[in-house]
Amino acid sequence: WKAKKVSKATIHWRFLLPWVASGRGARALVSETAAERRTEEIDAQGMKWLGRGLYPLVACWAVYSLITRPHKSWWSWAIHSLAHAVYTFGFISMTPQLFVNYKLKSVAHLPWKAFMYKAFNTFIDDVFSWIIAMPMSHRIACLRDDVVFFVYLYQRYLYPVDKTRPNEFGFAYELPE
């Protein structure tokens, strides 16, 4: 469900075959309110700017790693580069919500139980990333989640909570007036 949400893909039937539509065309198939369309536009703008900055950075890092670091084989270099790409794409998929909060100058309502679940999940990831032996890049990726979480906490302090705005799961806690 996460891949479907991030890619904004929908499956529809045409000529007795399933067809997959993604991007803006897929969203046109689903009815949206004006607020949802505005949020989607801001989200797309954030993804575009992050992608423009970080996709080339991932490619440059892969080339830099190939030139300067010893690898056992091409396969080892490819796995190493793809792992770093996954960590970067995870960061790119987390930060547009912060951009949307900044642009709308509000934070979507998050129930206390869900908020505490996210906080404990972030803390537990950090603890296990330092207890269990794993590559440093994975540990840094866990700390990246903390940075995003603390920025969200700061935004929650700074901006009002909008219960009419749908959260990341598309659920609004109050109807708009």
Side-chain angles (χ1 to χ4, degrees):
W1 66 269
K2 277 189 178 183
K4 183 178 176 184
K5 181 166 178 56
V6 169
S7 68
K8 309 225 181 352
T10 58
I11 300 172
H12 60 279
W13 291 85
R14 192 183 318 166
F15 308 115
L16 300 175
L17 295 172
W19 292 82
V20 177
S22 64
R24 296 245 179 246
R27 298 303 289 173
L29 297 174
V30 180
S31 64
E32 293 180 336
T33 64
E36 287 174 341
R37 278 193 299 274
R38 182 164 184 253
T39 303
E40 286 293 326
E41 288 171 3
I42 294 170
D43 188 47
Q45 182 184 13
M47 289 289 284
K48 178 178 73 171
W49 285 106
L50 279 170
R52 283 183 181 175
L54 293 178
Y55 292 151
L57 190 64
V58 169
C60 290
W61 175 257
V63 171
Y64 174 79
S65 174
L66 179 64
I67 294 170
T68 62
R69 296 179 177 219
H71 295 281
K72 293 180 182 178
S73 65
W74 286 100
W75 183 251
S76 171
W77 170 79
I79 295 296
H80 179 77
S81 298
L82 288 174
H84 283 282
V86 166
Y87 296 144
T88 304
F89 300 147
F91 178 74
I92 291 173
S93 69
M94 286 189 316
T95 52
Q97 182 61 45
L98 302 176
F99 188 69
V100 169
N101 292 345
Y102 169 73
K103 285 291 198 178
L104 295 178
K105 301 293 186 209
S106 68
V107 178
H109 178 65
L110 186 63
W112 185 249
K113 287 181 182 180
F115 179 74
M116 290 310 294
Y117 171 77
K118 287 187 178 198
F120 285 130
N121 192 22
T122 302
F123 174 73
I124 289 169
D125 284 349
D126 292 340
V127 169
F128 281 102
S129 72
W130 293 100
I131 290 175
I132 298 172
M134 61 180 59
M136 183 58 81
S137 58
H138 186 74
R139 290 179 179 169
I140 291 171
C142 288
L143 292 176
R144 155 209 82 186
D145 298 347
D146 291 342
V147 170
V148 172
F149 185 70
F150 285 125
V151 170
Y152 171 76
L153 286 178
Y154 180 69
Q155 285 182 338
R156 194 173 169 103
Y157 168 76
L158 198 61
Y159 304 135
V161 175
D162 184 6
K163 291 186 178 185
T164 61
R165 195 173 113 193
N167 60 13
E168 67 263 22
F169 304 111
F171 185 76
Y173 289 90
E174 287 182 3
L175 295 174
E177 296 175 5

